[in-house]
């Protein structure tokens, strides 16, 4: 629960969510086709016929009414008369669904809604933005995106269409797959041309009288029928509108014609023939018959993650009954890991030697704690690697034990001392949990060494037959001492 709760709370706190977000979530608003591109894509890639659009809407909604899964947020959205509560429930479910699968989300969602059934209940758990909005959800996709932290284009569209009946489309991973197959879009789905095209298509297709159901139906179709690897085209309610499916049918028809010696050519449907189309399959990766409809969509080009190094210091002091306490600081309210707590961390330039890294860290800590920090007092713990979706981050971890409290620079971020238990209950990232684990492992090794060296000392003393007052000899050492001449 804690990982999802942190993620959901972060989502509810943050403006402009980033990683793994559905298309358009955090993407540039109003992005347009690349310079020099045709103003309007070829008809093959569009829904331009109103009669066809009506037919597709009807088929999809009829299928959805019959086949939809019973999900708690859908049930609530259908019967809850209070628009704020409806929108809140959809918001919570959407944030959670961005983290994991439907089956996993159900339990988390139910527990969350039991604990914080309304926006007001959540506001009481200290969400400033909710207080600012006086507990009322904005009513349109535009306002939702503008006013709520962590709400991007997709989440705003989902809340507005499902909770408030706004006729606005949504584009998530499932919708991308369905639309790309329906209209043979084979270009990189992360390109602006494709993202624009898909959002326009979603807005064109969305049913005006049942927008929330239509959007959920499209997503449901992608999740249960038009799946990534094994689509069930035979059961698909919209196959009559699907160019990818028609292309497969055409291949089968051609194969059977060849078998019977006929040569009638069926026109291609997968290539719009414009030559430099920004939406077709790339010229170097044309239609592969063995893939069938899964020719679409093609995988987005993977960007290499950025390499970063960060110096992190586990600052410790002895707390109650000698148990260690750690100083943690809060990250800024926007950007990566916004609002989460962490050990004091400072970015490192790439290529620094170990001594230089220590110097950088000591300088930062000195400025921050306003007391001298010697590089020798920094104990190297190890390196902790954490991969974010777009960053390959290496934390170079040091520990530093302090005798008392420190007076921190008031201009710096909020900070507090926590026990290990409090640390684990705090909104900290997985990376910081790894850092603490590394420090605990180091402490275990240090304690083990200390005990071993103590045993060695005692054993030496025992062998010499004398022991200072207060030191307990082992039984063997005692007997040896007594029997010595
Ligand atoms: Fe997807 Fe097949 Fe339906 Fe086309 S016909 S939308 S590929 S399931």
């Amino acid at each position: 629960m804690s990982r999802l709760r942190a993620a959901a709370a972060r989502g509810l706190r943050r403006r402009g969510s980033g990683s793994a977000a559905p298309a358009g979530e955090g993407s540039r608003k109003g992005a347009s086709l690349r310079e020099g591109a045709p103003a309007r894509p070829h008809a093959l890639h569009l829904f331009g016929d109103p009669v066809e659009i009506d037919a597709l809407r009807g088929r999809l909604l009829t299928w959805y009414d019959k086949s939809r899964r019973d999900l708690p947020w859908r049930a609530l959205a259908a019967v809850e008369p209070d628009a704020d509560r409806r929108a809140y429930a959809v918001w919570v479910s959407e944030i959670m669904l961005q983290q994991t699968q439907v089956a996993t989300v159900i339990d988390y969602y139910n527990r969350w809604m039991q604990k914080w059934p309304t926006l007001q209940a959540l506001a009481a758990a200290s969400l400033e933005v909710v207080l600012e909005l006086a507990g009322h959800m904005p009513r349109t996709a535009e306002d939702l995106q503008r006013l709520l932290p962590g709400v991007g284009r997709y989440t705003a569209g989902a809340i507005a269409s499902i909770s408030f009946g706004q006729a606005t489309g949504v584009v998530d991973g499932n919708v991308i797959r369905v639309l790309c197959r329906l209209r043979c879009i084979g270009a990189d789905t992360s390109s602006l041309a494709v993202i624009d095209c898909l959002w326009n298509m979603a807005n064109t297709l969305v049913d005006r009288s049942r927008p929330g159901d239509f959007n959920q139906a499209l997503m449901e179709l992608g999740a249960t029928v038009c799946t990534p690897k094994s689509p069930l085209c035979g059961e698909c309610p919209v196959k009559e509108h699907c160019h990818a499916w028609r292309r497969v049918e055409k291949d089968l028809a051609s194969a059977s014609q060849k078998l019977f010696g006929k040569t009638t050519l069926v026109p291609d449907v997968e290539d719009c023939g414009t030559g430099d189309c920004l939406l077709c399959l790339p010229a170097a990766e044309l239609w592969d018959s063995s893939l069938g409809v899964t020719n679409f969509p093609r995988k987005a080009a993977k960007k290499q993650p950025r390499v970063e190094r960060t110096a992190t210091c586990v600052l410790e002091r002895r707390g109650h009954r000698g148990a260690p306490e750690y100083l943690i600081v809060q990250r800024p309210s926007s950007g990566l890991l916004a609002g989460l707590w962490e050990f004091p961390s400072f970015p490192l330039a790439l290529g620094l030697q170990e001594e230089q890294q220590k110097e950088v860290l000591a300088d930062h800590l000195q400025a921050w704690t306003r007391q001298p920090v010697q590089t020798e007092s920094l104990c190297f713990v190890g390196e902790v690697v954490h991969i974010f979706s777009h960053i390959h981050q290496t934390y170079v971890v040091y520990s530093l034990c302090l005798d008392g409290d420190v007076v921190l620079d008031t201009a710096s971020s909020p900070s507090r001392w926590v026990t290990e238990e409090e640390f684990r209950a705090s909104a900290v990232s997985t990376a910081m949990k790894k850092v603490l684990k590394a420090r605990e492992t180091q402490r275990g090794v240090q304690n083990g060494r200390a005990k071993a060296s103590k045993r060695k000392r005692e054993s030496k003393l025992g062998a010499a037959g004398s022991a200072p007052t207060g030191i307990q000899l082992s039984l063997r050492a005692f007997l040896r001492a007594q029997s010595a001449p």
Side-chain angles (χ1 to χ4, degrees), residues 178 181-182 221 225-227 231-233 236-239 242 244-245 293:
V178 175
R181 290 174 180 171
L182 285 176
L221 188 77
V225 176
C226 194
T227 56
L232 306 167
C233 298
C236 179
V238 295
K239 58 177 176 287
C242 181
W245 180 73
V293 296

PDB file of all heavy atoms in Angstrom, residues 178 181-182 221 225-227 231-233 236-239 242 244-245 293, ligand 1:
ATOM      1  N   VAL A 178      -5.184   0.665 -30.128  1.00  0.00           N
ATOM      2  CA  VAL A 178      -6.413   0.467 -30.909  1.00  0.00           C
ATOM      3  C   VAL A 178      -6.450   1.431 -32.093  1.00  0.00           C
ATOM      4  O   VAL A 178      -6.694   1.027 -33.235  1.00  0.00           O
ATOM      5  CB  VAL A 178      -7.658   0.669 -30.007  1.00  0.00           C
ATOM      6  CG1 VAL A 178      -8.924   0.595 -30.852  1.00  0.00           C
ATOM      7  CG2 VAL A 178      -7.698  -0.373 -28.903  1.00  0.00           C
ATOM      8  N   ARG A 181      -4.047   0.673 -34.903  1.00  0.00           N
ATOM      9  CA  ARG A 181      -4.476  -0.460 -35.735  1.00  0.00           C
ATOM     10  C   ARG A 181      -5.671  -0.074 -36.602  1.00  0.00           C
ATOM     11  O   ARG A 181      -5.739  -0.453 -37.774  1.00  0.00           O
ATOM     12  CB  ARG A 181      -4.798  -1.661 -34.840  1.00  0.00           C
ATOM     13  CG  ARG A 181      -3.524  -2.245 -34.229  1.00  0.00           C
ATOM     14  CD  ARG A 181      -3.787  -3.346 -33.227  1.00  0.00           C
ATOM     15  NE  ARG A 181      -2.515  -3.850 -32.686  1.00  0.00           N
ATOM     16  CZ  ARG A 181      -2.423  -4.690 -31.668  1.00  0.00           C
ATOM     17  NH1 ARG A 181      -3.517  -5.141 -31.085  1.00  0.00           N
ATOM     18  NH2 ARG A 181      -1.239  -5.086 -31.241  1.00  0.00           N
ATOM     19  N   LEU A 182      -6.589   0.670 -36.009  1.00  0.00           N
ATOM     20  CA  LEU A 182      -7.776   1.055 -36.794  1.00  0.00           C
ATOM     21  C   LEU A 182      -7.380   1.839 -38.037  1.00  0.00           C
ATOM     22  O   LEU A 182      -8.007   1.715 -39.084  1.00  0.00           O
ATOM     23  CB  LEU A 182      -8.715   1.923 -35.941  1.00  0.00           C
ATOM     24  CG  LEU A 182      -9.549   1.213 -34.874  1.00  0.00           C
ATOM     25  CD1 LEU A 182     -10.342   2.234 -34.056  1.00  0.00           C
ATOM     26  CD2 LEU A 182     -10.499   0.194 -35.490  1.00  0.00           C
ATOM     27  N   LEU A 221     -11.444  -2.017 -24.673  1.00  0.00           N
ATOM     28  CA  LEU A 221     -11.199  -2.798 -25.893  1.00  0.00           C
ATOM     29  C   LEU A 221      -9.702  -3.105 -26.011  1.00  0.00           C
ATOM     30  O   LEU A 221      -9.303  -4.227 -26.320  1.00  0.00           O
ATOM     31  CB  LEU A 221     -11.681  -2.032 -27.124  1.00  0.00           C
ATOM     32  CG  LEU A 221     -11.640  -2.835 -28.427  1.00  0.00           C
ATOM     33  CD1 LEU A 221     -12.807  -3.819 -28.490  1.00  0.00           C
ATOM     34  CD2 LEU A 221     -11.687  -1.913 -29.647  1.00  0.00           C
ATOM     35  N   VAL A 225      -9.405  -6.970 -25.680  1.00  0.00           N
ATOM     36  CA  VAL A 225      -9.587  -7.565 -27.018  1.00  0.00           C
ATOM     37  C   VAL A 225      -8.407  -7.230 -27.932  1.00  0.00           C
ATOM     38  O   VAL A 225      -7.739  -8.108 -28.461  1.00  0.00           O
ATOM     39  CB  VAL A 225     -10.915  -7.086 -27.663  1.00  0.00           C
ATOM     40  CG1 VAL A 225     -11.056  -7.633 -29.091  1.00  0.00           C
ATOM     41  CG2 VAL A 225     -12.107  -7.541 -26.822  1.00  0.00           C
ATOM     42  N   CYS A 226      -8.147  -5.952 -28.073  1.00  0.00           N
ATOM     43  CA  CYS A 226      -7.078  -5.513 -28.969  1.00  0.00           C
ATOM     44  C   CYS A 226      -5.771  -5.451 -28.161  1.00  0.00           C
ATOM     45  O   CYS A 226      -5.170  -4.398 -27.974  1.00  0.00           O
ATOM     46  CB  CYS A 226      -7.421  -4.144 -29.555  1.00  0.00           C
ATOM     47  SG  CYS A 226      -6.384  -3.705 -30.956  1.00  0.00           S
ATOM     48  N   THR A 227      -5.362  -6.619 -27.668  1.00  0.00           N
ATOM     49  CA  THR A 227      -4.218  -6.675 -26.748  1.00  0.00           C
ATOM     50  C   THR A 227      -2.900  -6.566 -27.520  1.00  0.00           C
ATOM     51  O   THR A 227      -2.884  -6.761 -28.738  1.00  0.00           O
ATOM     52  CB  THR A 227      -4.260  -7.999 -25.955  1.00  0.00           C
ATOM     53  OG1 THR A 227      -4.298  -9.059 -26.898  1.00  0.00           O
ATOM     54  CG2 THR A 227      -5.484  -8.067 -25.056  1.00  0.00           C
ATOM     55  N   PRO A 231      -4.209 -10.117 -30.189  1.00  0.00           N
ATOM     56  CA  PRO A 231      -5.527  -9.499 -30.336  1.00  0.00           C
ATOM     57  C   PRO A 231      -6.580 -10.486 -30.827  1.00  0.00           C
ATOM     58  O   PRO A 231      -6.268 -11.366 -31.629  1.00  0.00           O
ATOM     59  CB  PRO A 231      -5.274  -8.403 -31.380  1.00  0.00           C
ATOM     60  CG  PRO A 231      -4.013  -8.783 -32.066  1.00  0.00           C
ATOM     61  CD  PRO A 231      -3.206  -9.565 -31.093  1.00  0.00           C
ATOM     62  N   LEU A 232      -7.788 -10.327 -30.290  1.00  0.00           N
ATOM     63  CA  LEU A 232      -8.878 -11.237 -30.638  1.00  0.00           C
ATOM     64  C   LEU A 232      -9.755 -10.585 -31.709  1.00  0.00           C
ATOM     65  O   LEU A 232     -10.899 -10.194 -31.456  1.00  0.00           O
ATOM     66  CB  LEU A 232      -9.710 -11.543 -29.379  1.00  0.00           C
ATOM     67  CG  LEU A 232      -8.910 -12.068 -28.178  1.00  0.00           C
ATOM     68  CD1 LEU A 232      -9.731 -12.042 -26.901  1.00  0.00           C
ATOM     69  CD2 LEU A 232      -8.407 -13.480 -28.470  1.00  0.00           C
ATOM     70  N   CYS A 233      -9.197 -10.451 -32.893  1.00  0.00           N
ATOM     71  CA  CYS A 233      -9.900  -9.708 -33.948  1.00  0.00           C
ATOM     72  C   CYS A 233     -11.256 -10.320 -34.284  1.00  0.00           C
ATOM     73  O   CYS A 233     -12.206  -9.611 -34.593  1.00  0.00           O
ATOM     74  CB  CYS A 233      -9.049  -9.616 -35.199  1.00  0.00           C
ATOM     75  SG  CYS A 233      -7.510  -8.738 -34.913  1.00  0.00           S
ATOM     76  N   CYS A 236     -13.823  -8.788 -32.159  1.00  0.00           N
ATOM     77  CA  CYS A 236     -13.748  -7.328 -32.029  1.00  0.00           C
ATOM     78  C   CYS A 236     -15.001  -6.643 -32.591  1.00  0.00           C
ATOM     79  O   CYS A 236     -15.382  -6.893 -33.743  1.00  0.00           O
ATOM     80  CB  CYS A 236     -12.515  -6.819 -32.753  1.00  0.00           C
ATOM     81  SG  CYS A 236     -12.364  -5.033 -32.672  1.00  0.00           S
ATOM     82  N   PRO A 237     -15.623  -5.775 -31.785  1.00  0.00           N
ATOM     83  CA  PRO A 237     -16.855  -5.130 -32.251  1.00  0.00           C
ATOM     84  C   PRO A 237     -16.618  -4.088 -33.345  1.00  0.00           C
ATOM     85  O   PRO A 237     -17.564  -3.660 -34.003  1.00  0.00           O
ATOM     86  CB  PRO A 237     -17.395  -4.460 -30.978  1.00  0.00           C
ATOM     87  CG  PRO A 237     -16.195  -4.238 -30.128  1.00  0.00           C
ATOM     88  CD  PRO A 237     -15.254  -5.360 -30.425  1.00  0.00           C
ATOM     89  N   VAL A 238     -15.371  -3.671 -33.541  1.00  0.00           N
ATOM     90  CA  VAL A 238     -15.129  -2.602 -34.525  1.00  0.00           C
ATOM     91  C   VAL A 238     -14.221  -3.064 -35.667  1.00  0.00           C
ATOM     92  O   VAL A 238     -13.616  -2.240 -36.350  1.00  0.00           O
ATOM     93  CB  VAL A 238     -14.544  -1.332 -33.844  1.00  0.00           C
ATOM     94  CG1 VAL A 238     -15.539  -0.724 -32.876  1.00  0.00           C
ATOM     95  CG2 VAL A 238     -13.233  -1.643 -33.125  1.00  0.00           C
ATOM     96  N   LYS A 239     -14.171  -4.371 -35.885  1.00  0.00           N
ATOM     97  CA  LYS A 239     -13.239  -4.847 -36.927  1.00  0.00           C
ATOM     98  C   LYS A 239     -13.590  -4.309 -38.315  1.00  0.00           C
ATOM     99  O   LYS A 239     -12.715  -4.108 -39.150  1.00  0.00           O
ATOM    100  CB  LYS A 239     -13.120  -6.361 -36.940  1.00  0.00           C
ATOM    101  CG  LYS A 239     -14.378  -7.144 -37.151  1.00  0.00           C
ATOM    102  CD  LYS A 239     -14.027  -8.636 -37.199  1.00  0.00           C
ATOM    103  CE  LYS A 239     -15.252  -9.499 -37.323  1.00  0.00           C
ATOM    104  NZ  LYS A 239     -16.044  -9.583 -36.079  1.00  0.00           N
ATOM    105  N   CYS A 242     -11.512  -1.438 -39.072  1.00  0.00           N
ATOM    106  CA  CYS A 242     -10.081  -1.578 -38.774  1.00  0.00           C
ATOM    107  C   CYS A 242      -9.268  -1.845 -40.041  1.00  0.00           C
ATOM    108  O   CYS A 242      -9.373  -2.908 -40.658  1.00  0.00           O
ATOM    109  CB  CYS A 242      -9.894  -2.709 -37.768  1.00  0.00           C
ATOM    110  SG  CYS A 242      -8.179  -2.956 -37.321  1.00  0.00           S
ATOM    111  N   ALA A 244      -6.043  -2.311 -40.233  1.00  0.00           N
ATOM    112  CA  ALA A 244      -5.034  -3.354 -40.026  1.00  0.00           C
ATOM    113  C   ALA A 244      -5.675  -4.722 -40.234  1.00  0.00           C
ATOM    114  O   ALA A 244      -5.083  -5.616 -40.866  1.00  0.00           O
ATOM    115  CB  ALA A 244      -4.454  -3.250 -38.620  1.00  0.00           C
ATOM    116  N   TRP A 245      -6.863  -4.899 -39.716  1.00  0.00           N
ATOM    117  CA  TRP A 245      -7.557  -6.181 -39.882  1.00  0.00           C
ATOM    118  C   TRP A 245      -7.870  -6.428 -41.363  1.00  0.00           C
ATOM    119  O   TRP A 245      -7.713  -7.532 -41.866  1.00  0.00           O
ATOM    120  CB  TRP A 245      -8.846  -6.155 -39.053  1.00  0.00           C
ATOM    121  CG  TRP A 245      -9.642  -7.427 -39.138  1.00  0.00           C
ATOM    122  CD1 TRP A 245      -9.332  -8.622 -38.559  1.00  0.00           C
ATOM    123  CD2 TRP A 245     -10.865  -7.624 -39.855  1.00  0.00           C
ATOM    124  NE1 TRP A 245     -10.291  -9.558 -38.864  1.00  0.00           N
ATOM    125  CE2 TRP A 245     -11.255  -8.968 -39.660  1.00  0.00           C
ATOM    126  CE3 TRP A 245     -11.673  -6.790 -40.622  1.00  0.00           C
ATOM    127  CZ2 TRP A 245     -12.402  -9.505 -40.215  1.00  0.00           C
ATOM    128  CZ3 TRP A 245     -12.829  -7.332 -41.170  1.00  0.00           C
ATOM    129  CH2 TRP A 245     -13.187  -8.666 -40.977  1.00  0.00           C
ATOM    130  N   VAL A 293      -1.945  -7.943 -37.521  1.00  0.00           N
ATOM    131  CA  VAL A 293      -2.329  -6.592 -37.057  1.00  0.00           C
ATOM    132  C   VAL A 293      -1.318  -6.013 -36.073  1.00  0.00           C
ATOM    133  O   VAL A 293      -1.304  -4.796 -35.845  1.00  0.00           O
ATOM    134  CB  VAL A 293      -3.735  -6.588 -36.423  1.00  0.00           C
ATOM    135  CG1 VAL A 293      -4.808  -6.957 -37.429  1.00  0.00           C
ATOM    136  CG2 VAL A 293      -3.798  -7.487 -35.192  1.00  0.00           C
TER     137      VAL A 293
HETATM  138 FE1  LIG B   1      -7.702  -4.463 -32.793  1.00  0.00          FE
HETATM  139 FE2  LIG B   1      -8.221  -6.566 -34.333  1.00  0.00          FE
HETATM  140 FE3  LIG B   1     -10.180  -4.971 -33.463  1.00  0.00          FE
HETATM  141 FE4  LIG B   1      -8.499  -4.099 -35.298  1.00  0.00          FE
HETATM  142  S1  LIG B   1      -9.918  -5.777 -35.510  1.00  0.00           S
HETATM  143  S2  LIG B   1      -9.183  -2.980 -33.499  1.00  0.00           S
HETATM  144  S3  LIG B   1      -6.611  -5.060 -34.618  1.00  0.00           S
HETATM  145  S4  LIG B   1      -8.856  -6.286 -32.215  1.00  0.00           S
END
